[in-house]
Amino acid sequence: MLPLIALVVDHSALPQVREADLLGSTSRAALVARDRTHSTHGILTLSMADAMPADTVLLDATAAAAVEAGDAAAGDNGGAPNGAVGNPVPTSAAAVPGIEDAPPPPPEAPPPPADWRVRVDPSVLEQILDGRRRPGWHPGLPEAVTQDNPGAIRVLPPSAFPSDTLPIPDRWRLVTAFCPVQSIYVAIQNVCHSPLDPYHQNRFKGDRPLNLSGVPRFIPFRGDDWFLTLTAVSDTVVEPRTFPIPVGVQTTERPGSINVFGKPDSLVLSQTFIAGVALTKGMTAFKPPDVEYRVALAFNMNYVDVPERRVLFVEPSKPTHRYDHFLGVQEAFIDKHLGNDSDRYDFHSIRIGIQPFQADFRGFLFNDNQLGVRIFGNRDNNRFQYNLAAFWRLEKDTNSGLNNVTQTPRRDWVFVANLYRQDFPVPALTSQITVVYNRNREANRIHIDSNGFPVRPALLGVLRPRTYDVVYAGYSADGRIGRVNLTASFYGAFGRDDFNFLTDVSSEIRAFFGAAELSYDHDWMRFRLSALYATGAHFGFCDPKASLSLRKLNSPFQGHPHVLDLPWVETSTGSLGQGMSVAVGMAIGLRLQKIPARVYTMLGDGELQEGEVWEAAMSAAHHRLDNLCAVIDYNKLQSDNCNDAIMRLEPLADKWRAFGWSVAEIDGHNIPEILDQLRRAGATREKPSVLIAHTIKGKGVPYMENIPTWHGSVKLTRVQTEEALTALGASADEMKALLDV
Amino acid sequence: MRAFRSASIITIASLLLASCGGGGTSSAAGPAVPSPTPTPTGARYAIPAAEALTTTDVEKIVTQAVAEATARGIKAVIVVVDRPGNVLAVYRMTNARASVQVAPAPNGINHDAQAEAIPTTAAAIAKAITGAYLSSGGNAFSSRTASMIVQQHFPPAPVAAGLESGPLYGVQFSQLPCSDLSARYAEGNIGTGPFVGPKRSPLGLAADPGGFPLYKNGVLVGGVGVMSDAIYDFDRDITDIEIDADEYAALAATRGFEAPVEIRADRIPVDGTTLRYSDARYEDILSTTIPTFASINGTAVGQLIQVRGYFGFPAPVIQAGTAYGTEASGLRLATAAEFSRSDAMVLTNGAGTPRYPIRGGTDGFAVNALTAAEARTILEEAFTVMARARGQIRRPLDSQAQVTISVVDTLGQVLGIVRAPDAPVFGIDVSLQKARTAAFFSNAAAAGDLAAATTTPEVPTYVGKVRTFLNDPTALTGQTAFSDRANGNLHRPYFPDGEVGRPAGPLSRSIEEFNPFSTGLQSTAIFKDIKDHLFFVFNVSPTDVKQYCTYMPQVLPNQTRVSNGFQIFPGSVPIYRGNQLVGGIGISGDGIDQDDMISFLGLANAGGRLNHSIDNAPPAKRADNVLVKLPDGREVRLRYVNCPFAPFLDSSANNVCQGL
């Protein structure tokens, strides 16, 4: 584009302008043209800040420069000028903000003509220099070139094509097209053909297909679209570190080491060489390869020097430095293209073997080279992408972290399904949903690393062998919303750990994780804001203070314990009457699974007014659920009043007998009698059992006994609490402890 | 108990992950002077409430155990003790074994207690004592917990072979029947202070599951022990879940007297590994009906029986427990005249008189002995360090450490014992063992005393073993200051400790012969005493064991330098005046690093107060200058002490022992 003259308040540009001013106008033009050529921005800057006497001169110079530079640019480039050629009017006002008040316009300047065409001889309009163009004038396409040299193709002028693309038969010819064997561009020539240059085309890095013409017949590779890619990577880490290092427990490197921490300085050297071979079949730049075979081996050498004993090896007698090396198999897979689904090469593919995989944009959940099977592909012009993968985790070498295929793989499997959607929910943002299932069965395996330290079970907590199943469900996003770049992940982990390593009991896993990073780019600067939040897993210890929120809203101990609030609660207790139905279902389920456990359900007497109880009772008798025992807390009161005032229950025992239950009436305050009857219920066959436990609500606290208003509103004053505790026989210390909570 | 192996493993992990970059820096070097100790003001420790088991409680405990034993088809002996260690009941179910066998050596070549036949009653008493003594208001430990911390690797698990020994390695040989410190049962409970504690145990502390502490209103009131099976054993692998009938019967017995859940061993980690409280679970207890005591006592079910030296004379009747902390228990708060720091507890004779009033050294004939004022200063400063220290084994987190502090002279004579009001009782005897052991091995007379031991022919051989091992023909003649940590390094079945494939230290049994019933010099030196006692308990011998341990020369009438036996886990340092050994200070009751720090830093601070008239051993004399050359040329240094990570509640300082 032709330079328009912009006036920018910029002191730094001033000396340059003044220099231009000192030169003659011709030289000035040359100077400007030179600027134009060598500056990527190419805007001549003037200063408005200095109200200099040379303003007018400057403007003249500028105008001249503009004209001459414009000509020069047009001549050099054949580019399309944008209306300034031949037009001596310096600039539009818009391009020169604030210039109005600087030079007064010539007093007698004639008004410009309405349309310059009317003043020009029409024949002049047809005359134009070869290669030039003029706004508003289209001479028509040049004559078509007739090809008469078979097999040859000439690069046509871009204007010959309706679009700006040029089909090239093979992707390896993309570069050669710009890099013929003979070329006048010596610099490019070196780039193309120097074997030392990384851009040099080479059969060994997949730039050109293999020539398989001389290959013996028994090698099953045919065709001219096989590519070989050899890769070699060298990674060197030199890391001096300083952080607290404990002295050895059994012996120390130096005398006088009488504290837990010794000297802090350590050095880590690590050198990894990765060599890879890939054999790929596939033709074009955009079409995915039909098949790929890939192997990558990594050789790591590492050296660590620490100041203290028993840091690098479990054996305290061993020295405080260590050299180790290992050859790991980081990639070994076959990728078979299953087929294309659309003109734009939407595809499905299967990849089997040790392969890299990252489960989300940032690899929060899984980012490893592991043994697995993965089916992946895309749909809808690549707007959808998906992965279905199963991995069997390999053991890692201790000191290199590389895959150790000489050891039995771990009894740990990861199953991944994810789906990406581009431009969703807003353009330029890709959304992903992920479900990962991790199945671990390492209960009977111990693993000690090559330095002698225990790895599994980790030397943490109870050390009991354990297995666990966890499902991770998550949403991730990556892209931008407007000018704000966003990358974010949210996960929930749900599952079961059969021996929690802290509590030593089976526990639910329920944990959440969220991470987000927002960034904003300004010029070369990027401003980032990162946040990460993870909940602790719920280990099953119950916060004793939470029980103080009994019958409070949002408390886990609200009136009806809820299965979602209390991990050890298997079923919610509301609505009234459902408990009995749940118990019947559990009892049937246990019987079907031949599990000899028994189900007990507590029923309130007011609850017996719910019809669902009687449906369940009928069902239990029908199914002869002798593994079910219901206990009715028969205190004759419910929330609002006495049962009898609301709906009479008697004759209660007869009702249950009529339903086909084994019935016992007991004193609900007599523990031996309760235990005795529960045992009898356990011995009853072919019938469910019900214990009608006659109780007194508020038993032991005189002012509460048999008063319905105390049912659901246990709000006690300190005096009332003391009175109740006294009546219940609390000792002075218990009283103090309970009252001071 | 170390909290730092996990730290070192984290370090290793971070070194392995070097290529991940990052990593913070922080100075590992601490201050060169100890942090100033604040002057204690007012009450610093909560005093345990005076609770005790009633005879009804004891009956209930016994019947619950009997019911569970019956439900599990075992014939057991059940013992209940109170916190001071008085035996409140010994009940024998009909047809319970009269004797059981101690677990034999792995290779069948038995030493010391290995494979010995012992009275079932003695085993049950040891279990009950273990439950009562290892526990406190801040930690509830069982005999299974004890098993976990006395073996050659910690934790005892297949994955941990190669790690160092249990933090309380050797504690099983404490509370010995020959101890001069432990009180003895007086038949008929006659005399002054018949219920004074701590009492002895016939077999030291037990590692065989089936011993639990008993709590009443959250206060530790005693322990229960059950023994029925044929082998008095220990738990070699904590990762499995044993169904142990003894443990179930004992756990069932604790119903109504359960340890608070929050302080049970399974809520207390050591080095990141959670301790084990019980493999038995309350929900799997089989017994549901509990008989009355009358229906089981003197009936076909079983009866209370006499045990010589412990219970039932003139007739076996259930005894009520003695409240810990009262004068009658022999463990009460010190008066201001007895000890200047508030909330300190001292040992008394049950009639108001302190058993170990602070005094000067009795060895003035040989050395420039510690004065009473110096001994008092050491005890005060150690008490102050303890009161600032963060307890490792106590819950809730950030509780103060509670230990027992003993100071002895070079003859092993007690110059003073003070303790925190809720420190575990076992630490009284153990702190004295540690103080004496440090003073003994640092003493010029050590080799001579060992060589002159009579009746126990193996004891003199250890002098040569140590001298050969250290390649020092003058070893054990006082050139080196041995802390109990250093002494313990030489007293492990692997040297260096835990390194599989290495031969044993010179004071230890070889790993082929080792189990917790024979540790080496420690057990050899006192096993004749235990055996004498067991003959007495078995009613074979008419006389009980002498009331001082070992057959080394008597330095005073009926006193050897280690009159309650050696102790071989960390927590003590010798006391020096310049280059001259004048005594030892021993600590027991919390983590071993805490015990180390309280002894070392307490002594250093006392030295500071006393213008260094006494102090820790000069650095050049300490055992961490001893370098042992192994056959393959590697060199292994002994340790001296290891002060813990972030040890104080009132400061975040680390490396607090630096430069002292």
Side-chain angles (χ1 to χ4, degrees):
Chain A
M1 177 173 165
L2 191 78
L4 294 180
I5 305 304
L7 290 180
V8 181
V9 179
D10 184 348
H11 290 272
S12 64
L14 189 59
Q16 191 185 350
V17 172
R18 286 202 168 136
E19 187 190 1
D21 180 35
L22 294 172
L23 300 168
S25 64
T26 314
S27 309
R28 249 182 266 140
L31 176 75
V32 172
R34 197 172 68 235
D35 268 1
R36 185 75 204 102
T37 310
H38 293 284
S39 160
T40 50
H41 297 292
I43 295 177
L44 179 66
T45 53
L46 298 178
S47 174
M48 290 296 294
D50 296 64
M52 60 193 76
D55 271 350
T56 317
V57 176
L58 269 173
L59 269 183
D60 284 347
T62 306
V67 172
E68 291 168 54
D71 283 349
D76 283 352
N77 303 340
N82 198 12
V85 173
N87 188 348
V89 178
T91 60
S92 73
V96 194
I99 201 166
E100 291 89 347
D101 22 331
E108 293 122 15
D115 182 358
W116 56 271
R117 287 184 183 83
V118 306
R119 296 173 50 203
V120 179
D121 183 345
S123 67
V124 175
L125 290 174
E126 302 299 325
Q127 296 171 9
I128 192 158
L129 292 173
D130 188 26
R132 295 281 182 94
R133 290 188 292 172
R134 179 178 298 155
W137 185 79
H138 302 286
L141 295 174
E143 287 192 12
V145 176
T146 307
Q147 297 290 344
D148 56 357
N149 45 349
I153 182 166
R154 183 197 150 196
V155 178
L156 299 180
S159 54
F161 297 96
S163 75
D164 57 355
T165 59
L166 180 68
I168 293 178
D170 307 297
R171 62 189 155 85
W172 63 90
R173 288 184 219 181
L174 275 172
V175 179
T176 47
F178 300 112
C179 197
V181 176
Q182 295 296 324
S183 165
I184 57 170
Y185 301 110
V186 179
I188 296 176
Q189 196 78 2
N190 286 339
V191 168
C192 294
H193 300 294
S194 163
L196 296 177
D197 192 277
Y199 297 99
H200 172 67
Q201 288 222 326
N202 192 315
R203 263 183 228 293
F204 299 111
K205 59 187 182 77
D207 297 320
R208 291 197 294 262
L210 294 172
N211 181 357
L212 297 173
S213 58
V215 167
R217 284 183 168 277
F218 62 85
I219 295 179
F221 296 115
R222 293 287 172 272
D224 58 357
D225 56 351
W226 281 99
F227 295 85
L228 179 71
T229 308
L230 304 178
T231 52
V233 176
S234 169
D235 182 44
T236 307
V237 175
V238 177
E239 192 163 314
R241 313 187 85 180
T242 299
F243 57 89
I245 295 178
V247 300
V249 175
Q250 307 102 317
T251 186
T252 57
E253 186 68 6
R254 292 165 297 278
S257 300
I258 54 177
N259 287 285
V260 69
F261 292 122
K263 288 181 179 281
D265 300 317
S266 59
L267 174 68
V268 177
L269 305 176
S270 176
Q271 170 64 47
T272 308
F273 297 106
I274 304 171
V277 184
L279 201 54
T280 314
K281 179 180 170 63
M283 284 291 285
T284 72
F286 300 102
K287 180 183 167 190
D290 293 330
V291 66
E292 179 177 1
Y293 304 90
R294 181 184 285 274
V295 174
L297 302 179
F299 179 71
N300 174 269
M301 298 180 286
N302 56 74
Y303 175 81
V304 187
D305 190 2
V306 299
E308 301 298 341
R309 296 277 187 103
R310 229 290 283 268
V311 173
L312 301 178
F313 300 102
V314 77
E315 296 95 339
S317 70
K318 285 201 173 174
T320 60
H321 53 86
R322 179 186 64 215
Y323 168 77
D324 195 12
H325 61 271
F326 189 77
L327 182 67
V329 181
Q330 297 306 93
E331 286 182 291
F333 64 79
I334 300 171
D335 186 331
K336 178 79 180 78
H337 201 59
L338 298 178
N340 298 323
D341 284 354
S342 71
D343 293 346
R344 304 205 179 222
Y345 297 116
D346 287 333
F347 70 96
H348 305 285
S349 190
I350 183 168
R351 181 174 286 193
I352 301 168
I354 300 171
Q355 56 187 294
F357 183 69
Q358 183 168 327
D360 57 42
F361 300 110
R362 302 293 287 261
F364 282 124
L365 211 51
F366 186 95
N367 183 8
D368 204 350
N369 289 29
Q370 283 292 2
L371 177 64
V373 178
R374 180 159 75 101
I375 297 172
F376 59 102
N378 54 5
R379 303 284 293 175
D380 191 16
N381 294 342
N382 199 34
R383 279 198 283 265
F384 282 105
Q385 298 170 6
Y386 70 92
N387 285 287
L388 292 170
F391 294 98
W392 187 2
R393 290 171 73 189
L394 298 168
E395 203 64 75
K396 299 285 184 182
D397 174 63
T398 304
N399 295 325
S400 68
L402 301 173
N403 287 334
N404 187 343
V405 296
T406 64
Q407 290 192 26
T408 316
R410 298 179 55 179
R411 292 178 59 76
D412 184 287
W413 300 272
V414 177
F415 303 90
V416 184
N418 64 23
L419 182 67
Y420 297 81
R421 174 74 166 92
Q422 282 184 11
D423 297 329
F424 180 83
V426 296
L429 188 72
T430 302
S431 286
Q432 180 198 12
I433 52 171
T434 309
V435 179
V436 173
Y437 166 45
N438 182 199
R439 174 184 172 85
N440 185 292
R441 292 291 177 272
E442 292 182 318
N444 299 316
R445 293 253 186 115
I446 64 168
H447 184 61
I448 295 169
D449 71 21
S450 61
N451 304 322
F453 291 103
V455 176
R456 287 188 300 273
L459 203 58
L460 199 61
V462 297
L463 292 176
R464 300 256 203 234
R466 65 190 184 121
T467 65
Y468 51 86
D469 294 278
V470 192
V471 173
Y472 301 83
Y475 169 80
S476 301
D478 188 65
R480 61 181 177 84
I481 300 174
R483 284 201 57 190
V484 178
N485 307 315
L486 170 70
T487 170
S489 281
F490 304 93
Y491 282 105
F494 312 93
R496 178 159 282 278
D497 182 355
D498 75 338
F499 263 116
N500 181 280
F501 77 101
L502 285 179
T503 62
D504 204 12
V505 294
S506 170
S507 66
E508 292 286 337
I509 297 169
R510 194 154 56 102
F512 299 92
F513 167 91
E517 183 176 281
L518 297 169
S519 65
Y520 183 86
D521 294 339
H522 177 77
D523 203 343
W524 48 268
M525 291 169 282
R526 167 165 288 187
F527 301 94
R528 293 209 295 206
L529 179 67
S530 302
L532 188 146
Y533 175 75
T535 67
H538 202 288
F539 289 131
F541 291 158
C542 159
D543 179 5
K545 286 193 186 117
S547 61
L548 296 176
S549 56
L550 178 70
R551 288 198 75 114
K552 291 199 173 127
L553 275 180
N554 300 324
S555 156
F557 296 93
Q558 46 119 331
H560 287 284
H562 193 271
V563 63
L564 292 182
D565 293 325
L566 297 166
W568 31 269
V569 167
E570 287 187 315
T571 181
S572 308
T573 63
S575 296
L576 289 182
Q578 287 185 355
M580 181 73 171
S581 302
V582 172
V584 169
M586 286 178 170
I588 293 174
L590 288 169
R591 194 160 73 184
L592 287 173
Q593 295 177 62
K594 298 189 168 49
I595 295 173
R598 295 179 54 75
V599 181
Y600 296 87
T601 178
M602 286 289 297
L603 292 166
D605 45 8
E607 192 179 7
L608 298 183
Q609 291 155 3
E610 303 284 348
E612 190 180 352
V613 172
W614 299 100
E615 291 175 37
M618 197 150 51
S619 159
H622 171 78
H623 290 290
R624 296 191 168 87
L625 295 176
D626 56 15
N627 58 348
L628 175 65
C629 178
V631 181
I632 297 167
D633 179 13
Y634 196 18
N635 53 36
K636 292 93 184 168
L637 296 178
Q638 58 196 86
S639 288
D640 312 300
N641 208 331
C642 301
N643 299 145
D644 281 359
I646 294 167
M647 193 178 294
R648 193 169 54 251
L649 291 167
E650 287 295 344
L652 187 57
D654 288 349
K655 284 183 173 129
W656 285 94
R657 279 192 201 99
F659 270 77
W661 286 58
S662 165
V663 183
E665 295 200 55
I666 58 172
D667 173 6
H669 299 295
N670 184 340
I671 299 294
E673 191 179 348
I674 295 170
L675 292 172
D676 187 47
Q677 288 296 337
L678 285 174
R679 214 173 3 260
R680 281 168 195 269
T684 304
R685 292 288 165 266
E686 297 293 315
K687 272 184 171 184
S689 301
V690 58
L691 305 186
I692 300 175
H694 293 275
T695 57
I696 295 166
K697 181 165 278 185
K699 168 95 171 165
V701 182
Y703 64 83
M704 288 185 178
E705 281 192 6
N706 282 330
I707 308 295
T709 47
W710 286 105
H711 177 104
S713 51
V714 191
K715 286 179 189 150
L716 295 177
T717 64
R718 192 180 170 95
V719 174
Q720 283 173 323
T721 309
E722 277 174 5
E723 189 182 339
L725 288 171
T726 309
L728 291 168
S731 71
D733 287 343
E734 286 172 330
M735 183 98 78
K736 187 171 183 314
L738 288 163
L739 287 172
D740 290 345
V741 165
Chain B
M1 302 187 188
R2 278 144 287 189
F4 310 110
R5 188 194 302 127
S6 51
S8 64
I9 288 173
I10 289 165
T11 311
I12 295 150
S14 46
L15 289 166
L16 293 174
L17 292 171
S19 59
C20 294
T25 60
S26 86
S27 170
V33 292
S35 309
T37 43
T39 311
T41 51
R44 302 179 62 98
Y45 281 105
I47 311 300
E51 292 275 358
L53 293 168
T54 63
T55 52
T56 316
D57 293 338
V58 177
E59 287 178 359
K60 182 183 177 193
I61 292 160
V62 171
T63 48
Q64 289 182 141
V66 169
E68 183 68 11
T70 306
R72 292 187 178 266
I74 57 167
K75 304 295 180 190
V77 171
I78 295 136
V79 170
V80 180
V81 301
D82 62 14
R83 188 173 181 185
N86 301 298
V87 178
L88 309 181
V90 179
Y91 177 92
R92 177 171 178 264
M93 293 174 73
T94 307
N95 293 331
R97 290 169 217 281
S99 70
V100 298
Q101 192 197 28
V102 177
N107 67 352
I109 301 172
N110 297 305
H111 298 277
D112 308 335
Q114 290 170 339
E116 286 289 327
I118 58 169
T120 313
T121 50
I125 292 170
K127 289 187 187 185
I129 290 275
T130 302
Y133 277 12
L134 280 181
S135 304
S136 73
N139 71 297
F141 286 3
S142 65
S143 56
R144 193 179 284 279
T145 315
S147 172
M148 191 172 174
I149 54 182
V150 298
Q151 296 183 42
Q152 68 270 33
H153 299 299
F154 177 83
V159 77
L163 301 180
E164 68 270 24
S165 53
L168 267 64
Y169 183 97
V171 78
Q172 64 272 26
F173 290 109
S174 66
Q175 336 298 326
L176 296 171
C178 53
S179 168
D180 65 327
L181 175 124
S182 299
R184 294 186 175 190
Y185 168 70
E187 295 192 354
N189 291 320
I190 51 166
T192 305
F195 302 114
V196 159
K199 288 283 196 295
R200 59 187 178 163
S201 162
L203 293 164
L205 297 182
D208 193 25
F212 286 103
L214 298 165
Y215 286 77
K216 203 170 162 182
N217 301 317
V219 178
L220 177 64
V221 290
V224 58
V226 176
M227 185 74 207
S228 74
D229 59 26
I231 304 290
Y232 183 67
D233 208 350
F234 60 103
D235 181 5
R236 292 162 181 80
D237 179 3
I238 56 147
T239 63
D240 59 5
I241 297 179
E242 288 183 344
I243 307 296
D244 186 310
D246 289 358
E247 189 173 37
Y248 266 102
L251 192 73
T254 66
R255 283 177 296 176
F257 306 92
E258 300 94 342
V261 170
E262 296 302 322
I263 65 167
R264 288 184 196 159
D266 56 12
R267 294 290 176 89
I268 298 174
V270 171
D271 286 5
T273 299
T274 313
L275 296 176
R276 217 47 106 234
Y277 185 65
S278 175
D279 276 4
R281 305 190 310 167
Y282 279 107
E283 53 266 41
D284 296 335
I285 287 171
L286 297 179
S287 50
T288 46
T289 47
I290 309 302
T292 62
F293 186 69
S295 71
I296 62 156
N297 187 25
T299 67
V301 182
Q303 59 186 331
L304 294 171
I305 58 164
Q306 295 178 323
V307 179
R308 287 178 73 192
Y310 293 92
F311 177 72
F313 290 88
V317 287
I318 283 191
Q319 194 71 51
T322 303
Y324 167 85
T326 60
E327 175 62 41
S329 72
L331 299 163
R332 62 148 168 85
L333 292 181
T335 64
E338 286 160 357
F339 193 62
S340 63
R341 298 292 192 258
S342 42
D343 302 332
M345 183 175 265
V346 293
L347 277 63
T348 68
N349 68 351
T353 310
R355 288 174 64 195
Y356 298 106
I358 297 168
R359 59 173 175 164
T362 62
D363 47 2
F365 60 89
V367 297
N368 188 356
L370 282 171
T371 65
E374 286 170 336
R376 182 177 296 277
T377 305
I378 295 168
L379 289 164
E380 285 173 354
E381 288 302 318
F383 196 93
T384 303
V385 172
M386 168 186 72
R388 295 180 61 208
R390 179 181 282 111
Q392 198 221 310
I393 62 162
R394 301 184 73 91
R395 288 295 173 274
L397 291 171
D398 288 346
S399 294
Q400 286 167 292
Q402 302 216 30
V403 301
T404 305
I405 305 162
S406 294
V407 172
V408 299
D409 62 18
T410 58
L411 303 180
Q413 293 299 296
V414 181
L415 306 189
I417 297 178
V418 296
R419 55 191 255 106
D422 190 37
V425 170
F426 83 95
I428 303 172
D429 189 63
V430 171
S431 67
L432 182 58
Q433 288 182 317
K434 288 181 183 176
R436 284 171 167 169
T437 306
F440 179 87
F441 280 95
S442 307
N443 199 314
D449 272 19
L450 290 170
T454 60
T455 314
T456 47
E458 201 184 346
V459 170
T461 67
Y462 283 101
V463 177
K465 289 180 184 172
V466 170
R467 289 179 170 173
T468 306
F469 188 81
L470 298 180
N471 195 22
D472 177 3
T474 63
L476 300 179
T477 55
Q479 289 92 335
T480 304
F482 277 99
S483 62
D484 224 353
R485 187 177 286 266
N487 168 50
N489 289 154
L490 300 174
H491 216 136
R492 294 292 185 275
Y494 295 111
F495 184 90
D497 185 15
E499 186 164 326
V500 175
R502 296 279 178 189
L507 297 175
S508 175
R509 293 274 169 236
S510 71
I511 191 65
E512 294 79 18
E513 298 176 330
F514 166 81
N515 73 11
F517 303 105
S518 177
T519 52
L521 171 64
Q522 182 199 29
S523 53
T524 298
I526 49 85
F527 188 66
K528 171 76 171 75
D529 294 326
I530 292 185
K531 201 149 182 172
D532 288 348
H533 178 63
L534 293 179
F535 282 144
F536 172 72
V537 175
F538 261 133
N539 232 343
V540 173
S541 161
T543 51
D544 200 350
V545 62
K546 60 191 166 64
Q547 199 158 3
Y548 60 96
C549 294
T550 81
Y551 286 85
M552 293 191 299
Q554 294 185 24
V555 289
L556 290 173
N558 293 332
Q559 284 283 293
T560 63
R561 283 185 216 270
V562 284
S563 287
N564 63 339
F566 290 110
Q567 194 45 268
I568 55 174
F569 67 95
S572 68
V573 290
I575 303 169
Y576 280 78
R577 188 184 302 286
N579 261 319
Q580 185 180 49
L581 178 77
V582 290
I585 173 174
I587 311 293
S588 185
D590 201 69
I592 51 173
D593 290 350
Q594 282 73 12
D595 292 355
D596 258 1
M597 176 183 74
I598 295 165
S599 62
F600 180 86
L601 202 53
L603 177 54
N605 290 353
R609 239 174 82 184
L610 295 167
N611 204 18
H612 302 284
S613 69
I614 50 139
D615 211 327
N616 277 296
K621 208 174 171 61
R622 296 178 190 166
D624 56 3
N625 295 290
V626 174
L627 209 51
V628 180
K629 196 152 194 168
L630 301 180
D632 59 1
R634 291 187 193 154
E635 291 183 322
V636 173
R637 184 181 298 285
L638 302 186
R639 300 277 338 251
Y640 195 63
V641 294
N642 194 66
C643 293
F645 171 80
F648 292 132
L649 291 165
D650 56 7
S651 108
S652 58
N654 268 316
N655 283 15
V656 295
C657 296
Q658 196 64 41
L660 294 173

